[in-house]
Amino acid sequence: MAKLGLIYLLAFTSMLFFNNLKAENPIVQTRYTADPAPLVYNNTFYVYTGHDEAVKPNGWFNMKEWRCYSSTDMSNWTDLGSPMNLKTFSWGNVDAWASQCVYRNGKFYWYTCVRLEKDRFGIGVGVSDKPEGPFTDGIGKPLITGDSYLDPTVYIDDDGQAYMYFGNGKLWYVKLNQDMISTSGSIVEISRAKASVDSYLEAPWLYKRNGLYYLIYAGKVPGKENIRYSTSSTPTGIWEYKGIIMHEEGDSWTNHPGIADYKGNSYFVYHNGALPGGGNGHRSVCVEQFKYNADGSIPLMKMTSTGSEQIGTLNPYIRHEAEEICWEDGITTETSSQVGVYVTSIDNGDYIKVKGVNFGKGAKMFQANVASGANGGKIEIRTDSLSGPLLGTCLVQNTGDWQKWVIQKCVLKKTRGIHDLYLVFKGGESKLFNFDYWKFK
């Protein structure tokens, strides 16, 4: 787990429990993440999230930035950093809450809600040429403002018309123009009397499958939220309630859904409080793989620690970022102007697990791009477990500065076939080194 403060000391037992499970949910362990929104683009599955930092003195969410993660196998996730934060929007500086990113016109549009005052929010639009950003304010002001204007979700229909749903307590929609940064017509409230959106609270997600529109959302139950859905023959209703997708589970009283298809499979993303120290204000994003029922209905799902199945295997003979992780213990990530996102806060005994590495006929050498302003340390290259076969040990020496990057190499015992890779860090009592990328030869 990432070093998120003294609260982790109190959660030591829970940490051991999760490590023994070798869990792949939550998909991010280096920090607390929330309000996931998937996007499939260019054969890659992206998840855009919020970031839960230390809770505020009043116990409320403390969120100052949005983050982005990606995967091509649904098991190993790459940290792409924070492409957008509250400073992106000059008109709002409190509560970087739920969001969704969509692609159109050769650009990426990231819709998010930012608190203006009390219960009044503005929905802003970040714009970028790349899915990983950086994003800039596409308007210079909120797209719309209003009380409880939270949790925007955007869907572009087959005829080119884009719709944005949003709202906490109430549900609204508005049409977007083709430029994606202006609205068309008035804001419409979905009347409970005219639509069966059962116990709607917040976090809508709109999409279409086989000509049927799906609206999934967080429903209100005493003290918590579950995930429900309704369907319609049109993008604006009338909506027919269909049932519960996920019951109120876990240590977080909120939940936030999203659904996307990728490489022939369907995936449901959500958040819970499963990481040590997690719960209200400290949430974690998870992914479940599922299949629609024959009639198009969505099955009931449970929160799991195993997550989705890996698609294919990982090729170790190309460059892989150190922050491409299935599971980890102890490390976190930061960003520099030299190398972008990298792994840091590496101490003795920390490790990174990479799932399903296909060594083929055999790897003979390992190389890592590292930097250390201290005494350095070692990277033990192991397979299948923390105490699994030791293929080799890569020595990391003092490079002269924490941002002076050097490639270190080591010869390996030849290994073949498909294995989980464990990079186990060893050294003294203080921070050992920073880690940018790795590659086998």
Side-chain angles (χ1 to χ4, degrees):
M1 312 314 136
K3 295 174 177 64
L4 295 169
L6 294 177
I7 194 168
Y8 267 35
L9 295 176
L10 302 176
F12 180 71
T13 302
S14 297
M15 211 183 308
L16 290 178
F17 174 74
F18 270 90
N19 288 341
N20 288 335
L21 284 177
K22 299 179 181 178
E24 293 162 3
N25 264 337
I27 62 170
V28 178
Q29 309 95 43
T30 51
R31 54 181 43 84
Y32 296 116
T33 53
D35 304 328
L39 170 68
V40 175
Y41 175 76
N42 197 23
N43 209 35
T44 302
F45 194 102
Y46 294 89
V47 177
Y48 295 83
T49 78
H51 174 202
D52 281 338
E53 302 186 38
V55 294
K56 296 179 180 179
N58 62 2
W60 201 238
F61 305 112
N62 183 19
M63 308 177 75
K64 301 176 182 178
E65 64 178 10
W66 297 270
R67 301 191 67 86
C68 183
Y69 301 86
S70 70
S71 180
T72 55
D73 64 7
M74 301 306 291
S75 289
N76 301 299
W77 293 87
T78 301
D79 186 341
L80 299 175
S82 174
M84 192 167 75
N85 57 50
L86 286 173
K87 294 181 180 178
T88 304
F89 304 104
S90 60
W91 44 266
N93 60 5
V94 180
D95 294 336
W97 282 8
S99 65
Q100 182 186 352
C101 185
V102 299
Y103 174 76
R104 190 175 195 179
N105 305 328
K107 294 185 179 295
F108 297 86
Y109 299 88
W110 198 347
Y111 299 83
T112 189
C113 55
V114 179
R115 188 188 298 274
L116 301 177
E117 58 178 357
K118 297 183 180 180
D119 290 331
R120 192 167 186 81
F121 284 77
I123 293 180
V125 189
V127 181
S128 177
D129 294 326
K130 299 183 294 184
E132 69 274 22
F135 286 77
T136 58
D137 188 347
I139 312 174
K141 63 181 181 179
L143 176 64
I144 57 173
T145 63
D147 289 351
S148 300
Y149 278 17
L150 274 65
D151 301 354
T153 179
V154 172
Y155 173 71
I156 305 169
D157 210 347
D158 297 336
D159 62 2
Q161 179 61 61
Y163 300 85
M164 182 173 71
Y165 274 71
F166 55 95
N168 173 278
K170 295 181 179 180
L171 179 61
W172 297 274
Y173 77 85
V174 67
K175 293 181 179 181
L176 301 178
N177 291 317
Q178 287 200 359
D179 64 7
M180 302 299 284
I181 56 172
S182 62
T183 61
S184 173
S186 59
I187 295 172
V188 179
E189 180 180 350
I190 299 294
S191 170
R192 293 180 185 272
K194 295 182 179 180
S196 180
V197 182
D198 189 70
S199 297
Y200 172 85
L201 181 60
E202 60 182 357
W205 181 267
L206 177 67
Y207 69 102
K208 184 166 69 171
R209 178 180 182 270
N210 294 338
L212 187 65
Y213 296 87
Y214 290 73
L215 183 67
I216 60 177
Y217 52 89
K220 186 177 182 180
V221 294
K224 281 201 168 186
E225 295 177 358
N226 57 21
I227 302 302
R228 309 180 183 207
Y229 79 107
S230 299
T231 62
S232 174
S233 60
T234 74
T236 58
I238 297 175
W239 295 99
E240 180 182 356
Y241 176 66
K242 290 297 183 178
I244 295 174
I245 298 175
M246 179 173 282
H247 284 294
E248 56 278 17
E249 299 181 45
D251 294 328
S252 171
W253 66 268
T254 70
N255 202 344
H256 194 106
I259 286 180
D261 289 343
Y262 180 62
K263 294 185 177 179
N265 301 313
S266 297
Y267 296 94
F268 175 75
V269 300
Y270 63 98
H271 70 228
N272 60 22
L275 284 181
N280 296 336
H282 281 159
R283 298 159 295 178
S284 300
V285 169
C286 301
V287 178
E288 306 294 346
Q289 185 175 334
F290 75 97
K291 292 183 178 180
Y292 289 89
N293 297 319
D295 61 358
S297 60
I298 302 174
L300 181 66
M301 287 176 266
K302 293 186 67 67
M303 297 181 181
T304 73
S305 60
T306 51
S308 56
E309 296 179 2
Q310 184 173 17
I311 301 174
T313 56
L314 185 140
N315 176 9
Y317 303 111
I318 61 175
R319 169 173 165 162
H320 288 274
E321 301 303 314
E323 61 274 10
E324 183 179 2
I325 298 168
C326 173
W327 197 257
E328 58 80 20
D329 187 9
I331 61 101
T332 188
T333 59
E334 292 181 3
T335 303
S336 78
S337 58
Q338 288 182 278
V339 298
V341 181
Y342 62 94
V343 168
T344 187
S345 298
I346 298 174
D347 292 329
N348 181 50
D350 295 348
Y351 73 89
I352 291 173
K353 172 188 173 182
V354 182
K355 187 176 181 181
V357 177
N358 191 348
F359 291 99
K361 295 182 179 180
K364 298 180 180 180
M365 180 176 290
F366 174 83
Q367 66 181 44
N369 194 37
V370 292
S372 179
N375 294 325
K378 297 183 292 184
I379 305 175
E380 292 183 352
I381 299 99
R382 296 182 178 270
T383 55
D384 300 324
S385 73
L386 285 170
S387 57
L390 179 63
L391 304 185
T393 301
C394 189
L395 180 63
V396 179
Q397 299 177 325
N398 185 308
T399 63
D401 188 84
W402 291 106
Q403 290 297 317
K404 186 176 181 180
W405 298 91
V406 175
I407 294 177
Q408 303 282 14
K409 301 179 181 180
C410 65
V411 177
L412 304 174
K413 295 179 182 178
K414 194 172 184 179
T415 186
R416 299 184 179 187
I418 300 171
H419 301 272
D420 290 342
L421 171 66
Y422 285 78
L423 303 176
V424 185
F425 309 117
K426 299 291 185 178
E429 295 182 357
S430 59
K431 176 181 173 181
L432 304 181
F433 51 87
N434 294 331
F435 188 11
D436 179 28
Y437 68 84
W438 58 266
K439 180 180 180 181
F440 284 85
K441 289 189 174 182

